[in-house]
Amino acid sequence: MKATAWMGTDSVKVIDVPDPKIMNARDAIVRISTTAICGSDLHLYHGYIPAMRKGDILGHEFMGEVVEVGPQVRNLAPGDRVVVPFPIACGHCSSCQRGLYSVCENSNPNAGIAEKIMGHSPAGIFGYSHLLGGYAGGQAEYARVPFADVGPIKVPDEVSDDQAVMLADVFPTGYMGAEMCDIKPGQVIAVWGAGPVGLLAAASARLLGAERVIVIDRFPYRLRLAEEHIDAETINYDDVDVLDALNAMTAGRGPDACIDAVGLEGHHGNAAMYAYDRAKQAARVETERPFALRQAILACRSGGVVSVVGAYGGFVDKFPMGAFMNRSLVMRTGQCHVQRYTRPLLERIQRGEIDPSFIVSHRMPLRDAPKGYKIFQKKQDDCTKVLLKV
Amino acid sequence: MSRVDTVLLPELDGPVPATPPSALGLLSLALGVGTLVAPGPVARLTGVDDSPAARAVLPAIGLRELGSAAGLLSGRRPAGWAWSRVAGDAMDLTLLGRALADRGGARRRRVALTTLAVAGITAVDVLAAVRVGQARRARARVIRLEIAVTVNRSPAEAYRFWRDMENLPRFMAHLESVRADDLRRSHWIARGPAGHRVEWDAEIIDDQPNKSITWRSLPGTGVPNAGRVCFVPAPGDRGTEVRVELRYAPPAGALGRAVAKILGEEPEQQVRDDLRRFKQVLETGEVIRSEGSPNGISVRQQAMQRPAQPLPASRR
């Protein structure tokens, strides 16, 4: 089959690889119809996530048709159209049973290395390095889906591929970012990052009853999407000071909750600040450029919530602990527990409450994946989200 | 609860010295006290009562013996103290040799007998010191591990799976097979590099249903080992804390190198991964595999992985 493979930093290729096989009794094989390039795939592309090997198949957002199931899979049958959550979760460990699917205790066969870096291992993730399991990804013609009796859900015909594939990662991740803010009527929610997750977090904050949503980014075309589709107010940090702007917009209170949908490869409007973290990151003194996180902590109203769904990999330098502690802030974080959200969010799509596919800017065939990575990386051609059609 | 260290495993603890350090200590004590309390009779008995120097030398020897006694009876560094006795014996033999040259008649016979006795004691001391050292080295070679995992299953379920010893190769990576001969005895085969195989027989020596299992290898194995697994209810209804203690002595030589390779450079990591697989099998029914880890958890394959490098600054 054809698959998108990581060939080294800034290099992906569509190559021929063997078809996936059933390896465990609860596996399914899915023929992929639509798959997406995620912002966190860019962290792999840029080489920031350790333990990638040349030839590793990328991709953790995908959907398609079940073509084969293992003997223990009873909920799915060949022919079912399914979308697959990006974290691989066994459904039986105590984390899964508490709904914490992205920290499944069993699904990372390389848990030992992850433990050395993170203390405890999170779940395995499709196509996301050997640190997180060494699973082949879904930017391919076929994918093996472990624990197919737990993760994938069937997609009804009236929901399109473009809508459904958002349920693999970005929509639930954005939704969880908003849910962690514990939004109450009258509240103001600020979202750092107008990428797919940031836009869907802002949209979810609306769904959950936020009175005002403020989106912070530097690309005018992305901010325009936030204004047009979510009725959000926007701040372009290349033009104004974010803290001043937020204080002015909230009469000095600060947003009730701040969502960091940026993660480890952030940018900063101030060239000196940016150079400082860039240099430290290059020297491996820190692994992140946590501009959004620092700013979110400083901006948040006292007693508010900082919700982090942007991806971080290692260690943060200059974390404003003084502000965080003295102002009674709460931080809530996590890779999304996608399995918790797929069904209720699918129902919201079916009821017409939201169409998450408004973030899609590009659709192209799988063979054009290298081009898709390039334009997403460079933010060319007003790119927000690339779907690959197989 | 008793520790696995209390499991009797003679091969693991090295040879037992014929004369234990405490017996040597008592001998030193007797000789030291005798020499100090009755220097006159001792001098006569040994045939050096004609020498004015004996009056100064004998109490010194007595004090030395008391020093050795204190050291040996304290139980600390027994090998060192046993060798200190040998050094003392050598000194005594030297002195007796000089005394023998100067004397004649009955006195010469007494000195000769004393020399013979001291030579005998010296032999016992040398043997004891060597054995004590061997035992110490054997104990130092023993590897002890204590590793635990929490499994979301009841102690009874975890116990039942482990108690069927033939299940062990399902999660212990280096085991090829375990054959249960009867309820207590089993035959184990471990897979090594380059077709090397290590086999041994083991027996269950303590079996507390739903609580713990203790086993040890039977005499005659090249890799003496003992282990205990305890199944403790985890607080807050979170299943079972499975706590494993292992003790084994990798042998020297080619077999030892094979065993070391089986267990990897980090035996702790190996056992931790074994336990992780035990958890996987109990909770999900299988060992989890991925394309990058087709055999499930494996330390060796983790060590072979190369990390990706960050983009050079010029190309960002």
Side-chain angles (χ1 to χ4, degrees), chain A residues 176-241:
Chain A
M176 187 168 113
E179 193 188 63
M180 289 193 296
C181 295
D182 206 7
I183 296 170
K184 294 180 183 60
Q187 288 198 329
V188 183
I189 310 299
V191 182
W192 273 255
V197 169
L199 289 170
L200 288 166
S204 300
R206 273 263 179 272
L207 281 179
L208 292 170
E211 186 162 310
R212 290 168 64 194
V213 177
I214 302 167
V215 176
I216 301 145
D217 203 274
R218 68 188 168 120
F219 294 104
Y221 74 92
R222 304 211 298 190
L223 291 172
R224 218 160 37 238
L225 275 177
E227 286 161 6
E228 286 166 9
H229 288 269
I230 309 165
D231 193 22
E233 300 157 67
T234 57
I235 295 173
N236 187 327
Y237 65 76
D238 272 348
D239 301 338
V240 295
D241 182 275

Side-chain angles (χ1 to χ4, degrees), chain A residues 91-131:
Chain A
H92 294 277
C93 64
S94 60
S95 293
C96 283
Q97 288 186 347
R98 284 180 290 147
L100 301 170
Y101 297 97
S102 76
V103 288
C104 170
E105 296 159 31
N106 286 318
S107 64
N108 185 358
N110 297 336
I113 359 176
E115 278 176 358
K116 288 194 176 75
I117 296 175
M118 300 189 197
H120 299 271
S121 174
I125 294 180
F126 291 102
Y128 215 77
S129 89
H130 293 266
L131 184 70

Side-chain angles (χ1 to χ4, degrees), chain B residues 11-49:
Chain B
E11 312 97 301
L12 253 181
D13 297 323
V16 179
T19 320
S22 55
L24 293 183
L26 289 175
L27 176 67
S28 287
L29 187 65
L31 290 173
V33 169
T35 313
L36 284 172
V37 169
V42 168
R44 265 196 305 284
L45 197 66
T46 52
V48 293
D49 50 336

Side-chain angles (χ1 to χ4, degrees), chain A residues 105-106 110 115 133-134 278, chain B residues 276 279 283 290 292-293 316:
Chain A
E105 296 159 31
N106 286 318
N110 297 336
E115 278 176 358
R278 206 65 200 253
Chain B
R276 233 195 294 270
K279 175 181 165 75
E283 290 184 351
S290 76
S293 300
R316 279 185 189 136

